Amino acid sequence: MSESPPELRSGDPAPARPTRRAAFAEQELRLISALVLLIGLGLFLAIPFVLSIGSVVFLPVVTAIVLTIILSPLADKLAEWGLPNVLASFVALASFFGVLILALALILQPAAALFETLPQMVDQVGRRFTELRDQFAWVGMVNDRLAEFTGRSGTGREVVVASPSVIEQLAFATPSVLLEVLLTFLMTFFMIEARVRLRRHLLFDRASFGTSIKAARVMREVQDRVAAYILTVSWINAGVGVIVALGAWALGVEAPVMWGGLAALLNFLPYIGPLAMTALLALFGIGTSETVILGLIPAAAYLGLHTVEANAVTPSILGARFTMNPVLILIALSYFSWIWGVFGALLSVPILLMLTAFFDHVGRPNLVGFIFGEPLFATNLMEIGTEEEPT
């Protein structure tokens, strides 16, 4: 008769329970994890104040990092074709600058012509809303009756606070904006030019080969993910701009190229951009049409186009690799808009992609599980520390 396996012999002692030392180490690890979590939460709440106060310094740096990640693949391709590194970096940056200037010219030139008709459009919108108010005058009468019944009076004083005009605000903001743009492009050029040295530093100046491989993978994943996302979304938004321009031309809307360019640029802002575009089209349509229903046709057509693009076209092209939680996108939008306004909203998605790619390699904190007693990170350090040593 064959002997029973060693682990099933009746004479062997039961498996030993975790020692007091291991339990104490586990509690110590959880305490350290809690301190790390509190420090991270404190930094998350404190960083916006530092970044907003020092926006002249930090905004160009963050923008330059994002542009470097986006333009580095183009500079690498130009270097493979035989261009020197400095010239390839300059051509990549100049190409982006040229595309940006062309897009702004296509939008601003027709917008300047439409700006002259702005008073007429404002009067038209006012008349349309006056007509709507007259049609719903009974709502105001009901409100007055409720105010009389509850004893509230509508004779409160209105306090008007004097504020600088738009021209004065532009005059004060222009030097700062020009300085930030100049610093951004200069830092972007030097970062793109130094990309080869940075990669060599990450690979060969680490203490171990495994660390070098992990650093190279993180850098490559961040660059590939952000650059591929921006390039793909740019092509999608360009297609949306072309369709909007053709639709505006077919509906007889003035300056169709401008509306197409606005649609393409605002589509880089998830959720907020399309809502702003819909509102602009609605106000312009109401201000230039004979009736409210006719004025809402361009906005309704764009809203239908955006619904198809956001729910069918973009997810099928981007795939699961770039699929992000809408809640995280909205949190990033509100967080960086709070810090840097419109520029922060434009940078929010690339920054979120960078952080997502980074945490995919380093490890994402298990916040919900940590509340219920699980480790903060997926890698259980206690299991690593209690592995059996060779005898």
Side-chain angles (χ1 to χ4, degrees):
M1 181 180 295
S2 60
E3 296 183 359
S4 60
E7 62 273 15
L8 298 179
R9 292 176 181 173
S10 57
D12 292 343
R17 297 182 178 180
T19 61
R20 283 175 94 181
R21 182 176 180 181
F24 178 76
E26 187 174 356
Q27 293 178 359
E28 184 180 10
L29 177 61
R30 184 165 179 81
L31 178 60
I32 294 174
S33 300
L35 292 176
V36 170
L37 187 60
L38 291 175
I39 292 174
L41 181 61
L43 289 176
F44 180 80
L45 297 175
I47 282 176
F49 298 98
V50 177
L51 295 181
S52 60
I53 293 173
S55 60
V56 178
V57 177
F58 295 111
L59 181 57
V61 173
V62 176
T63 307
I65 292 174
V66 174
L67 290 178
T68 302
I69 293 174
I70 296 172
L71 299 177
S72 290
L74 178 58
D76 292 337
K77 184 65 67 176
L78 293 173
E80 292 177 2
W81 291 347
L83 289 179
N85 184 31
V86 176
L87 185 58
S89 304
F90 178 78
V91 171
L93 183 59
S95 301
F96 172 80
F97 187 74
V99 172
L100 182 62
I101 292 298
L102 178 61
L104 292 178
L106 292 175
I107 296 174
L108 294 179
Q109 185 176 359
L114 287 177
F115 187 77
E116 299 177 358
T117 63
L118 184 61
Q120 292 82 359
M121 285 192 293
V122 172
D123 293 338
Q124 181 77 357
V125 172
R127 286 195 295 269
R128 294 289 175 261
F129 280 105
T130 301
E131 295 173 359
L132 290 176
R133 185 186 61 186
D134 294 339
Q135 294 176 3
F136 293 93
W138 59 273
V139 178
M141 295 175 61
V142 172
N143 188 28
D144 293 338
R145 296 295 180 269
L146 290 175
E148 293 177 0
F149 180 75
T150 56
R152 293 179 301 171
S153 61
T155 59
R157 292 186 177 181
E158 182 180 358
V159 179
V160 179
V161 180
S163 60
S165 63
V166 177
I167 297 178
E168 292 176 346
Q169 293 179 2
L170 290 176
F172 284 115
T174 299
S176 177
V177 172
L178 291 178
L179 176 62
E180 291 183 18
V181 170
L182 180 61
L183 288 175
T184 299
F185 281 104
L186 284 176
M187 282 190 289
T188 303
F189 170 74
F190 288 117
M191 287 182 182
I192 297 175
E193 192 273 335
R195 70 192 186 281
V196 178
R197 295 192 295 273
L198 177 61
R199 293 169 186 167
R200 188 180 298 113
H201 173 72
L202 287 175
L203 283 175
F204 300 109
D205 293 350
R206 304 274 71 81
S208 64
F209 181 74
T211 306
S212 300
I213 294 298
K214 179 174 287 190
R217 287 178 178 174
V218 171
M219 183 176 180
R220 175 60 63 182
E221 177 67 18
V222 169
Q223 177 178 309
D224 291 346
R225 185 175 296 191
V226 175
Y229 175 84
I230 296 297
L231 181 61
T232 306
V233 170
S234 299
W235 283 112
I236 295 173
N237 294 345
V240 170
V242 171
I243 295 174
V244 170
L246 293 175
W249 173 76
L251 293 174
V253 180
E254 297 182 22
V257 176
M258 181 197 71
W259 293 111
L262 276 177
L265 289 180
L266 290 177
N267 214 38
F268 281 100
L269 293 175
Y271 307 110
I272 297 177
L275 288 176
M277 185 66 189
T278 304
L280 289 175
L281 284 173
L283 291 176
F284 180 81
I286 295 174
T288 56
S289 301
E290 297 179 357
T291 62
V292 176
I293 300 299
L294 292 176
L296 292 177
I297 290 178
Y302 170 77
L303 191 59
L305 172 65
H306 171 69
T307 302
V308 175
E309 174 266 325
N311 295 281
V313 178
T314 300
S316 62
I317 294 177
L318 290 179
R321 185 186 181 194
F322 300 108
T323 301
M324 290 180 291
N325 192 336
V327 177
L328 288 179
I329 295 176
L330 291 176
I331 291 175
L333 278 172
S334 60
Y335 187 76
F336 291 103
S337 299
W338 173 33
I339 299 174
W340 292 320
V342 177
F343 294 102
L346 289 172
L347 295 173
S348 60
V349 176
I351 294 175
L352 182 60
L353 279 170
M354 293 166 57
L355 294 177
T356 303
F358 177 78
F359 283 114
D360 284 344
H361 285 271
V362 178
R364 299 186 182 185
N366 183 18
L367 299 179
V368 177
F370 182 76
I371 298 175
F372 296 99
E374 297 178 0
L376 183 59
F377 293 93
T379 303
N380 194 343
L381 299 180
M382 295 306 302
E383 294 179 359
I384 297 176
T386 57
E387 290 179 353
E388 294 184 359
E389 297 181 358
T391 57

